[in-house]
Amino acid sequence: MELPRRFNHPYRTLRQSGMDRDAALAEIRKAGASFFESMVAVKEVDGLTVVDSKMAVHCSPAWADEVKEQERFWDEAIAALEADPDLSP
């Protein structure tokens, strides 16, 4: 399993230069940060809780396409589970 890379330093540099959170997230995503790596950077640099850092990344325009895809996946998975009579309560 590959360990997550650290994007704290580039994210911190962007934030200290005056860049807002969404723009800084867009920049580290362009540099290859994953959703999780972005969460870690926001948590550690901006001092947010895990839940708040997830929500900050989830609601960021930088990750809107990924979030939309994740929501579509879960909507389809839930619909398939609900349609299967063997899995219904």
Side-chain angles (χ1 to χ4, degrees):
M1 176 179 179
E2 185 177 323
L3 295 175
R5 297 159 293 166
R6 304 286 289 195
F7 284 86
N8 297 17
H9 179 71
Y11 181 77
R12 177 176 282 111
T13 301
L14 294 166
R15 295 289 279 145
Q16 288 175 341
S17 75
M19 190 175 283
D20 69 27
R21 180 179 294 140
D22 290 334
L25 283 169
E27 289 300 314
I28 66 170
R29 185 174 186 198
K30 284 184 216 168
S34 69
F35 189 94
F36 178 76
E37 292 162 342
S38 296
M39 277 180 51
V40 170
V42 168
K43 179 187 176 298
E44 293 184 11
V45 174
D46 293 339
L48 300 181
T49 65
V50 171
V51 171
D52 290 341
S53 64
K54 182 194 179 293
M55 287 307 299
V57 176
H58 181 88
C59 294
S60 172
W63 285 95
D65 63 321
E66 181 74 20
V67 169
K68 190 176 226 176
E69 186 60 33
Q70 288 175 11
E71 288 174 353
R72 183 177 17 256
F73 167 80
W74 285 110
D75 288 345
E76 290 173 6
I78 290 168
L81 289 172
E82 289 174 342
D84 188 333
D86 293 332
L87 300 175
S88 296

